Amino acid sequence: MHAYYADHFILPLPSGHRFPMAKYGRLRERLAAEWPQVRLGQALPASDGELALVHTPGYIGAIRQGTLEASAQREIGFPWSPAMCERARRSVGATIQACRDAMAGDGLAANLAGGTHHAYAHKGSGFCVFNDAAVATRLMQAEHARHHRARGPLRVAIIDLDVHQGNGTASVFATDDSVFTLSLHGAKNFPFRKEPSDLDVELPDGCGDAEYMEALERALDELARRFDPGLVIYLAGADPHEGDRLGRLKLSFDGLEARDRRVMDWAWQRRLPLAFAMAGGYGTDMEATVQAQVNTYRVALDYHARWAALARRAAPDAPVPTATWATPGAEPRWQNAAP
């Protein structure tokens, strides 16, 4: 299973900054050590043209040049640096590559970061610079239209299970019937001004495993009733965990694993390709956040194996499909050989 990273671009954050930047490198270390079935590749950067499928040219240029107004930079929550810009581009690129892999026949692929759902078309917010799920959605739709015009537009479901509402994503797709935005989030948590998704499920502080799974089941039933996607992008936030200092919910590791399995099973039952990103995670103990994320990959590997078995049964002598990369002639550099 392919998974893409950009943690080698280190943001120079001031001492005491509350964002746990080290979690990304730690997740990659754990996956490389424990799950060699995950093939880790450096993400390619999203181009200005790809970003412009969602973001305004003025905003893209200001991020590139470091000319955002101070208030807008504070809303993002990171100080500007060339590394911030490059990492933001590659975080988008990772979700693009994961979507391409999933749709090329892999079934599942991943971004070790991503889930930057607070970024609007014209601004960033809440540690989110560019909106990776939104850009990847628009690009997958454009590529699908180019190669499969007769099939009609690609319909994409964005299942956002970060503990914070995906306000930026909801805003981008507010009037777009080809994209369904679903968000399960804490009712009293950030952002305090929420945008209407196609389906919002607000959860009370202290919500535990049973309540959460019941709400998720109802939400997935509603999604199936109202929308028929061709691709799923899943934000598998670790911040609903009971040990998260910003989450305010009380899901256990078992509850988070059940959540991941339910979403991936929902997509598998419909044979829908799924790309996932790790989204938020701010554990009091960073290792707890990383453990929740490692558990997500363990579940994903199960479903990726099902896709691989399906492909072998359908065409036992066919070559393994490969994705089409964003830059002609360019491919990611792989950290580990394919098992």
Side-chain angles (χ1 to χ4, degrees), residues 218-289:
R218 291 199 306 267
L220 291 175
D221 287 347
E222 180 74 3
L223 169 56
R225 187 181 69 80
R226 292 170 51 186
F227 194 75
D228 183 21
L231 170 67
V232 175
I233 298 178
Y234 171 38
L235 278 60
D239 44 10
H241 185 251
E242 59 191 348
D244 196 275
R245 55 192 168 85
L246 301 182
R248 303 170 68 163
L249 302 189
K250 296 296 181 183
L251 270 67
S252 66
F253 285 126
D254 287 345
L256 286 173
E257 183 174 335
R259 174 203 70 172
D260 294 337
R261 190 169 296 279
R262 184 65 191 99
V263 172
M264 293 179 190
D265 197 64
W266 187 91
W268 164 251
Q269 288 171 4
R270 294 160 177 78
R271 301 301 188 266
L272 296 174
L274 182 148
F276 66 97
M278 301 322 300
Y282 312 92
T284 304
D285 175 5
M286 188 186 73
E287 288 298 326
T289 294

Side-chain angles (χ1 to χ4, degrees), residues 4 13-14 23 28 49 65 67 83 91 95 111 134 151 189-190 195 200 235 247 256 263 270 297 301 324:
Y4 299 92
L13 299 179
K23 68 180 179 178
R28 178 158 62 101
Q65 298 159 15
T67 56
S91 187
T95 297
N111 178 354
R151 300 183 189 176
N189 214 321
F190 180 88
E195 305 283 352
D200 284 304
L235 278 60
L256 286 173
V263 172
R270 294 160 177 78
Y297 277 84
L301 281 167
T324 302

